[in-house]
Amino acid sequence: MRRYRHRDGSLRVWFDPEEIDRLAEEALHRAGLLPSLEAPVVDVERFLEGYLGADLDQYAPLPHDVLGATEFRPGVPPLVQVNAALTHAALDDPHPPPGSRGRWRATLAHEAGHILLHRALVEPDPSQTSLFDPPDRLFRCLQREVAFGGGSDWREVQANRFMAALLMPKPVFVAAVVRAKQQEGLLLTEPVGTGAVEGVARRLARWFDVSRQAARIRLLELGLVETPGQRSLYRRPPS
């Protein structure tokens, strides 16, 4: 990670995608929550509250288009809020809408990403703070921005990458892909062909408790699918 000043004067941080994968894996290991092939589902609530020490409000009265929010508060743990409607749909509805649980888990993991990746934005170099506007301590995460492989704001792109890395840690995910390919009758020495992606993604989604779209995008991000070159969502900052 490195901090830099954007041409508009704002403070930004840069992470290589591989660095985000490594940070997520190391954090899970330190938290005692690194999953295994036999038990691949990450306890993301415990990660947020137990490891990161966040105050978690899962029934926050957020606007309908805001899935979650993270607020950095001086001297106290960060506050993570999840839209009450999303939590009700994912946890309390006896017949939850399709995809609601996956979106709820993704939102928690996304907010964890803001805490681990973007704390540096609200704790800038003390020698420079007087030269710039006070940092924005509140991250509101819109429904359209919390998406595997998506996001238009650079901070949301980074949090989305962390979200995927946390819920599907690379070493376990790669091992699970091998198992899924075996069960689908695919060659282990070749990338997953485009015609076989759905079958593999379906198994991975069930094992990791994520959406099939999330599993497909993670396959693409890690270069495990045979497909034409994908446009990277990550651009290096100016040197």
Side-chain angles (χ1 to χ4, degrees):
M1 183 271 285
R2 75 174 179 88
R3 303 186 199 188
Y4 68 100
R5 286 286 170 187
H6 190 257
R7 58 179 174 270
D8 64 8
S10 63
L11 177 67
R12 297 192 177 189
V13 288
W14 169 255
F15 296 89
D16 285 312
E18 296 80 8
E19 184 181 6
I20 293 177
D21 282 330
R22 186 175 66 254
L23 287 171
E25 183 183 349
E26 290 173 351
L28 285 167
H29 180 74
R30 287 193 295 269
L33 295 172
L34 188 64
S36 65
L37 190 57
E38 291 69 33
V41 178
V42 170
D43 187 341
V44 67
E45 288 178 272
R46 187 176 165 195
F47 182 82
L48 262 171
E49 294 183 292
Y51 177 67
L52 295 181
D55 286 338
L56 179 58
D57 177 5
Q58 298 198 55
Y59 293 90
L62 298 175
H64 74 279
D65 61 339
V66 178
L67 289 183
T70 294
E71 182 179 4
F72 292 96
R73 305 172 297 177
V76 296
L79 172 65
V80 171
Q81 296 178 302
V82 180
N83 193 303
L86 175 59
T87 301
H88 280 301
L91 303 185
D92 304 329
D93 193 326
H95 304 289
S100 59
R101 179 171 172 81
R103 175 153 287 191
W104 173 78
R105 280 173 51 77
T107 300
L108 294 180
H110 181 96
E111 302 309 323
H114 281 309
I115 293 174
L116 273 171
L117 302 179
H118 300 138
R119 190 183 297 271
L121 293 172
V122 300
E123 297 174 353
D125 185 342
S127 67
Q128 298 183 11
T129 54
S130 62
L131 302 178
F132 300 96
D133 293 334
D136 186 357
R137 296 180 177 273
L138 178 63
F139 293 74
R140 288 188 180 90
C141 304
L142 301 176
Q143 182 171 339
R144 66 174 183 268
E145 293 284 359
V146 182
F148 289 93
S152 56
D153 183 281
W154 64 274
R155 293 162 295 193
E156 302 307 313
V157 171
Q158 290 177 350
N160 284 333
R161 176 72 190 221
F162 184 89
M163 173 174 77
L166 187 73
L167 296 178
M168 296 169 280
K170 184 176 179 179
V172 181
F173 187 79
V174 171
V177 170
V178 173
R179 176 176 288 182
K181 288 167 70 175
Q182 288 175 322
Q183 295 182 4
E184 291 289 314
L186 304 174
L187 292 174
L188 301 185
T189 57
E190 298 292 333
V192 179
T194 54
V197 169
E198 286 305 314
V200 171
R202 188 180 303 112
R203 294 179 186 275
L204 295 169
R206 185 173 67 252
W207 296 342
F208 287 90
D209 198 9
V210 297
S211 68
R212 273 184 283 176
Q213 180 191 27
R216 285 196 302 270
I217 292 172
R218 188 65 167 149
L219 286 164
L220 287 167
E221 285 181 338
L222 296 178
L224 300 173
V225 176
E226 189 178 56
T227 184
Q230 299 292 311
R231 179 181 65 85
S232 174
L233 292 171
Y234 295 82
R235 299 182 180 86
R236 291 190 174 276
S239 57

